[in-house]
Amino acid sequence: METKILLGFLVFATLCHLGYSCSCLPMSFTKKYCDADFVAKVRVRSNLKNPSGQQDFNDFYKIRRIGAPWKGSVKRRTRVYTASNDAMCGVYLQKGKKYLLAGNMVGNKLRINLCSSIYERTPLSRQIRKMKKNRRLCIPTIFNANKFRAARTSGK
């Protein structure tokens, strides 16, 4: 009888964990870089802003791009959006710190989450610095093959 109760509790605890947490598949920086719509070095200019006051995906940080973007189009001063909390894959960035961010464009908004590449600007590994110079390392995958085909056929 005690075994059944213990087993029931373990199943319940596992289901609660799966329902209320963010999890990401492990990926290399190269894969994250290739799948990202933008990659840029930035400095965070504000604490997390939550204009609606609700738990949603429209919270943002004000950022300033440092140098040219590594990939994609990122304005000099803009916002990067994330979820309200880490259970929804929201990201915490510290005001005043520098980061290398890789994320996606949704409409005209830059979006990051816990599954994005977010590196505090300490000395970056050789592999990461190499990606900036050699974008041909990105091999089309099933997830970004349509973007690759569209860019190739439009002559970009």
Side-chain angles (χ1 to χ4, degrees):
M1 179 68 178
E2 290 177 19
T3 306
K4 289 182 182 180
I5 292 172
L6 181 60
L7 183 60
F9 175 75
L10 289 174
V11 169
F12 177 74
T14 302
L15 290 175
C16 287
H17 174 72
L18 293 176
Y20 295 104
S21 67
C22 172
S23 61
C24 310
L25 292 173
M27 285 192 275
S28 68
F29 176 78
T30 304
K31 173 97 171 96
K32 288 181 179 184
Y33 180 95
C34 293
D35 289 348
D37 294 327
F38 75 91
V39 179
K41 290 190 288 185
V42 303
R43 179 184 300 272
V44 179
R45 295 179 31 230
S46 73
N47 291 317
L48 186 65
K49 306 275 186 191
N50 185 338
S52 69
Q54 298 176 5
Q55 299 254 329
D56 58 18
F57 297 92
N58 290 316
D59 295 3
F60 64 87
Y61 293 97
K62 291 181 180 179
I63 60 169
R64 191 183 106 237
R65 190 188 76 227
I66 301 170
W70 288 25
K71 182 179 180 184
S73 177
V74 179
K75 293 178 186 173
R76 181 61 125 178
R77 291 179 183 261
T78 190
R79 296 174 176 181
V80 64
Y81 290 82
T82 190
S84 301
N85 60 55
D86 58 353
M88 298 184 333
C89 294
V91 174
Y92 176 73
L93 303 176
Q94 287 185 322
K95 182 179 177 181
K97 291 228 176 187
K98 296 177 185 177
Y99 296 91
L100 177 64
L101 300 179
N104 297 98
M105 296 288 294
V106 178
N108 60 351
K109 293 181 179 180
L110 304 176
R111 294 215 172 258
I112 58 172
N113 59 48
L114 286 175
C115 301
S116 303
S117 285
I118 300 163
Y119 293 94
E120 193 171 333
R121 285 291 301 149
T122 56
L124 297 173
S125 74
R126 187 175 184 188
Q127 174 201 13
I128 292 172
R129 289 191 315 267
K130 187 177 177 181
M131 289 300 299
K132 182 179 180 182
K133 295 177 183 172
N134 190 359
R135 295 186 180 137
R136 289 177 285 161
L137 294 174
C138 293
I139 299 168
T141 65
I142 193 167
F143 300 110
N144 67 3
N146 291 336
K147 287 187 207 176
F148 179 75
R149 278 191 217 108
R152 211 173 60 192
T153 57
S154 67
K156 292 184 180 177

